[in-house]
Amino acid sequence: MSIKLQQLMHFVMVVEEGGFRAASHRANRSQAALSTSIKELEKMLGQMLFEPGNKTKLTPFGEICLPKVVQFLNIYSALDNDLKAAAAGQQGRVRIASVPSVAAKLIPSVLGAFCEQYPNVEVSLIDDNAAGVEARLLSGEVDLALGNPSHLDEGGIDFKPLLSDPIGVVCLKDNPIASHSEGIEWQTLLEQPFIRNGTCTLLDPTPARALSEQALYSVENITSLFSVLELGIGVTTLPKLAFPTNETRLVWIPLIDPPLERQIGIFTLTDRTISPQAKAFHDLCVHYLRYE
């Protein structure tokens, strides 16, 4: 026979309550049932825990057992709490990869709510381009990815769209095309030096890909891109979320011919169950970003 957790708990209760009567009330058991539980424990241990003539006094063997049993029950209680907290998403770690524009403008609202609800969960956020966030998810480096689809035809990834992000033209405010504040056609940009960036792949399925194909410059880093644009040596196209809200020298104009937008959403692996804490972050993304 194996020692039962309940028997150890009953032993400690008798000591803490100063007798079997009070301990039976605490354990919600009859005094006879509690006494039987202790006797079975003593039988398995092969030694008496309480003095025969004084059931409130520990034997020398009981004195040895008590601190060890209390230590074990404390460890068990901590383990029980930790496992339940992890199952509820209250402990652990969640790793997220996101395209920079989403990380900068959308993730903070989600992260704020997540940290308030799950203060003991470690969060790791990695910026990357659209293809990079998918690659990090596939490799197992992150639990979730946020961005726009790039290679979903490879399979293994589930994509849940959350919002649409329109594509527009970015140029200096004193550029003549900046007067087209309501929208601009791609053909109007043919006379402008074009700067290609990573998001210009969104133009590829449309006639506007000609802009990318004739680009004089190519800049991948978003910070460097804005520095080049501020020199006034060309224009580019960008999703609206990628355009800084505090920009003063540049302007974003919606592209109306063709009207383009990218779908922003959340990626998970189809064959992997995400952790409870990652599921909690996933659900907050769906709740907050779907209404942006």
Side-chain angles (χ1 to χ4, degrees), residues 179-195:
S179 60
H180 299 264
S181 58
E182 298 300 318
I184 193 168
E185 300 177 355
W186 74 269
Q187 293 93 337
T188 308
L189 306 178
L190 288 172
E191 297 179 359
Q192 299 278 334
F194 193 80
I195 304 169

Side-chain angles (χ1 to χ4, degrees), residues 60-229:
F61 176 69
E63 295 281 1
I64 294 172
C65 291
L66 180 61
K68 296 180 183 296
V69 173
V70 170
Q71 181 183 29
F72 168 77
L73 291 178
N74 287 338
I75 293 172
Y76 173 82
S77 178
L79 175 64
D80 182 57
N81 290 335
D82 286 348
L83 293 179
K84 288 177 179 177
Q90 294 290 345
Q91 288 185 3
R93 181 184 182 192
V94 57
R95 304 162 300 167
I96 308 119
S98 173
V99 294
S101 55
V102 175
K105 289 191 175 180
L106 301 182
I107 289 295
S109 61
V110 177
L111 190 57
F114 183 82
C115 291
E116 183 177 347
Q117 296 180 39
Y118 305 93
N120 297 318
V121 175
E122 179 185 351
V123 179
S124 175
L125 178 61
I126 302 170
D127 287 0
D128 208 333
N129 58 31
V133 298
E134 291 179 33
R136 291 177 187 273
L137 181 66
L138 283 169
S139 70
E141 182 180 348
V142 297
D143 306 299
L144 302 169
L146 287 152
N148 51 290
S150 63
H151 299 99
L152 287 183
D153 54 337
E154 294 180 1
I157 295 181
D158 179 64
F159 177 71
K160 181 187 291 293
L162 300 176
L163 56 97
S164 297
D165 189 17
I167 309 301
V169 178
V170 179
C171 65
L172 283 175
K173 286 185 176 180
D174 60 6
N175 189 310
I177 66 171
S179 60
H180 299 264
S181 58
E182 298 300 318
I184 193 168
E185 300 177 355
W186 74 269
Q187 293 93 337
T188 308
L189 306 178
L190 288 172
E191 297 179 359
Q192 299 278 334
F194 193 80
I195 304 169
R196 179 179 174 83
N197 67 76
T199 68
C200 289
T201 54
L202 296 165
L203 305 177
D204 290 348
T206 76
R209 66 180 177 274
L211 298 172
S212 240
E213 292 169 351
Q214 67 175 30
L216 292 177
Y217 315 101
S218 179
V219 182
E220 293 295 323
N221 181 271
I222 193 71
T223 303
S224 300
L225 176 63
F226 283 110
S227 297
V228 172
L229 287 166

